[in-house]
Amino acid sequence: MILNVLNVLLTILLASTNADTTARRSKTPTSNKSVLNVGTGIYDVTGPAADINFMGYAQMKQVGRGIHFRLRARAFVFESTVPTPPLNDSRLFAFVSVDMGMGSSAVTNRVLELLDAEPTTTGKFTNDNVCISGTHTHSAPAGFLTHTIFQVTSLGFVKQTYDAFANGIAQSIIKAVGNMAPGSVFLGQGKVTNANINRSPTAYLYNSQAERDLYPDGNTDKDMTLLKFVNSDTSSPVGMINWYSVHGTAMNNTNMLISGDNKGHASSLFEKDFNPVGTLPGKGKFVGAFAATNLGDVSPNINGSFCMDTGLPCEMEHSTCNGKNEMCTGRGPGKDMFDSTNIIATRQYEAAKEIWNNANEELVGPIDMRHTWVDMTNLTFKAADGTMKSTCGAAMGYAFAAGTTDGPGAFNFIQGSNSTNPFWNLVSHFLSKPTQKEIDCHHPKPILLNLEGINFPYPWAAKVVPLQLIRMGRFYMVSVPSELTTMAGRRMRKAVADEVIKQKLSTNPVVVIAGLANEYADYTTTFEEYQAQRYEGASTAYGPNELGGFISEFKRLIADMAAGVESQTLPAPPTYLSKQISLAPGVIYDSVAHGKKFGDVTVQPPSTAVVGDVVSVVFCSSNPRNNLRTEDTFLAVQMLSSDGLSWVDIATDGNWETKFEWNRPKEFEGESFATIVWELPLDTMPGTYRIQHYNSHKSLLGKITEFSGTSNTFKVHTK
Ligand code: ZN
């Protein structure tokens, strides 16, 4: 009898550790024998906070004028301590979510060089085991992508942006490797309601009714998939990543302050809860990333799109007002874009907290990965219906120039005013006319920009792009260098899950898409949505079969993983770094009015303030590009310690409640001012406060000198 019971127990035990192999439920987040090492790291990637165009809206006028809150790279490193059969090699992987527009293979290359130069990470990382995914904030500096189309409004390549991203990402991985320790990863899933809307709902309706019926959430994904990282020795949480579909466009194209938008702010809110009270942003050990996924047609402007002149809803099919696109813009739920960003961030943060609390399924079992470089301009594959399909050379349709309701078109190409853009003037004569074959391949897309044919001064779009598959137990992540729409993402996740099951890797896989990862190749719609030729379809660069092409490639990687063989790949493509053209001017010199010094205060704070007040102080300042103050700050809100002997930093330029606003009254002169703004949060302690400003000025001879300024003190009272 006892023997029978033991037999039954043994059978159950074997069954549960064997097939689906990899998922195990437990209330207590520890296992007897850890098979994983995990590490997390965070680093500043803010870049130049003045005079540099922001990446995303392609709006010439949207150039940096200070910082709302700093941008961060958030790195997660995990390693299986037992080799993965049958290749039996070491399985180490780094995922980095970065407050930047999107991934860039040129940035990744530099990150890998920097990691190789660092003793603790030498030889550990290649393209195979690093995924760098941009959160898609549209309020971060541009100029880090090396294909021409992404440089038109930034006036070319911007080395300062490129270096800030590459250095910060490398440092975040180095920090994560430095604190690797035995750990566990738990999987959680849940929903976020009321934080996204489909900005091309008429295109979504081109998908068949039968397919739409599979998804009761409607025309956007509401799912959030979350990984929880716990140190096994101390049982303390060390990190979190989640994926939820929404664009980084809660801050609109009039914003000139660097910002991580809704994803960056949600990360700060989450990290604050897990780091000691008083930890300044970016300085804590716990790292929480809100990462990008298939957000192609997904907007945070959930109140819908309206005409700026009449206040009426826009015409739906073309998102126009009186036939014009530029008056039709999306509206967020808040009273202004800051409030909307806060609301969309808070909804994601609150959902993540709940999912975190219930994330009890430990991911055990193999870690494995595959990476391939694919020529997306020339990919032939067998579609589900058995016919052969092909992708096309990169080209953009007319609707690309119209933009979206998150940022209506300001791409001056279509408006024909070439004279306002020197970069455009330089290259415009070298544009390409599509051949009939190219026109047929992209049909029904009317080709506006035949990127494939334009190679001056260097290629306008990527030809060869990186694709990547990561596995941890029953969790699978596919990295794509694109913005997949809601249905494109659903179709890809389903295809990947079906193939994983077919190849007997897992019986119940959970699949996420790491979006805008490792490179940028615009958008990917479904074949059906492509027919509508909204912005997303017009920006599906490789033609109507692009999604099918990506899916066929992921099936290949899954089959290779199941067979235990390495995946075939093309060589890494060139990054054209040595050919880059930069036309954005640097800082010439800084000056200060007669009788004033750098750091002098021209507007002092009020003598008293209460919670909810906004305190502003104006300083004589200089261009913040002279010294980016990486991992540091341009401002400090300081409180006098209780013994009255020292000043304690309460907030920096990384905090939500502060702003560093920079302005230069006369565009071609050296005089400039910094306005430091502090909105007193609810938990502000009564006491004596002051505002500090730090910056560096440049002389005509190029000498850079640091300075600081200090405001008068003021008293904060309780109400
Ligand atoms: Zn986008």
Side-chain angles (χ1 to χ4, degrees), residues 168-397:
I169 293 165
Q171 288 303 323
S172 72
I173 296 174
I174 291 165
K175 275 173 88 172
V177 168
N179 67 33
M180 267 207 300
S184 307
V185 181
F186 297 85
L187 175 68
Q189 290 175 287
K191 301 269 186 195
V192 186
T193 52
N194 210 11
N196 65 18
I197 190 174
N198 193 306
R199 70 184 188 190
S200 286
T202 53
Y204 179 83
L205 291 175
Y206 277 63
N207 298 305
S208 75
Q209 183 75 52
E211 188 177 29
R212 284 183 277 134
D213 286 348
L214 296 173
Y215 302 98
D217 281 343
N219 64 10
T220 59
D221 286 328
K222 307 292 182 200
D223 309 288
M224 180 179 273
T225 303
L226 180 146
L227 296 181
K228 166 169 153 179
F229 296 79
V230 178
N231 181 304
S232 298
D233 295 338
T234 61
S235 288
S236 56
V238 293
M240 180 281 300
I241 317 171
N242 71 61
W243 291 267
Y244 168 75
S245 298
V246 69
H247 249 78
T249 50
M251 298 299 286
N252 65 39
N253 67 9
T254 64
N255 171 47
M256 307 234 179
L257 299 179
I258 284 177
S259 165
D261 207 279
N262 65 85
K263 296 285 185 190
H265 182 38
S267 290
S268 293
L269 292 172
F270 203 96
E271 284 162 354
K272 195 176 173 190
D273 287 351
F274 289 88
N275 285 317
V277 174
T279 304
L280 290 166
K283 300 297 175 195
K285 283 208 171 100
F286 182 91
V287 180
F290 286 67
T293 180
N294 58 314
L295 47 65
D297 53 358
V298 190
S299 168
N301 294 312
I302 57 174
N303 285 15
S305 47
F306 296 86
C307 299
M308 284 191 279
D309 48 356
T310 61
L312 296 170
C314 309
E315 186 274 329
M316 284 293 280
E317 204 164 323
H318 306 99
S319 293
T320 51
C321 302
N322 265 329
K324 292 187 174 164
N325 74 76
E326 55 265 37
M327 294 303 276
C328 171
T329 57
R331 259 187 216 163
K335 65 179 191 299
D336 57 28
M337 62 179 158
F338 294 97
D339 194 30
S340 291
T341 302
N342 188 31
I343 292 169
I344 298 297
T346 303
R347 286 178 186 169
Q348 291 174 75
Y349 152 77
E350 284 171 350
K353 282 297 287 280
E354 202 178 316
I355 298 167
W356 168 279
N357 289 332
N358 296 311
N360 294 319
E361 178 189 327
E362 186 176 355
L363 290 171
V364 292
I367 289 182
D368 208 350
M369 65 210 68
R370 292 293 181 277
H371 180 279
T372 187
W373 292 100
V374 182
D375 184 350
M376 279 308 287
T377 68
N378 186 23
L379 187 64
T380 302
F381 62 96
K382 198 187 233 177
D385 63 5
T387 59
M388 296 307 289
K389 305 276 189 205
S390 296
T391 56
C392 320
M396 301 303 231

Side-chain angles (χ1 to χ4, degrees), residues 39-120:
T40 55
I42 185 168
Y43 207 84
D44 185 1
V45 293
T46 302
D51 292 340
I52 297 301
N53 188 236
F54 285 174
M55 184 66 210
Y57 290 116
Q59 165 64 264
M60 284 288 294
K61 286 184 275 186
Q62 195 189 15
V63 293
R65 281 289 177 273
I67 297 175
H68 182 206
F69 60 95
R70 276 187 185 259
L71 310 174
R72 312 281 174 191
R74 295 177 165 88
F76 304 82
V77 175
F78 39 93
E79 173 188 47
S80 57
T81 54
V82 288
T84 302
L87 290 178
N88 284 330
D89 51 357
S90 146
R91 299 273 111 174
L92 169 73
F93 193 82
F95 175 81
V96 193
S97 175
V98 191
D99 293 329
M100 67 196 297
M102 57 279 295
S104 149
S105 62
V107 169
T108 301
N109 265 13
R110 181 69 189 136
V111 168
L112 294 174
E113 283 174 13
L114 291 166
L115 292 174
D116 249 354
E118 168 67 35
T120 57

Side-chain angles (χ1 to χ4, degrees), residues 387-461:
T387 59
M388 296 307 289
K389 305 276 189 205
S390 296
T391 56
C392 320
M396 301 303 231
Y398 272 85
F400 162 70
T404 71
T405 51
D406 287 339
F411 212 83
N412 66 356
F413 178 79
I414 200 172
Q415 295 167 33
S417 68
N418 297 349
S419 59
T420 58
N421 185 324
F423 191 77
W424 183 256
N425 283 345
L426 186 71
V427 295
S428 65
H429 294 146
F430 295 86
L431 291 182
S432 160
K433 278 202 165 63
T435 62
Q436 191 58 44
K437 195 173 160 226
E438 286 164 340
I439 292 169
D440 293 345
C441 189
H442 284 278
H443 181 79
K445 177 199 286 172
I447 296 175
L448 173 68
L449 283 174
N450 188 39
L451 303 178
E452 172 76 355
I454 325 176
N455 289 300
F456 180 84
Y458 26 89
W460 276 52

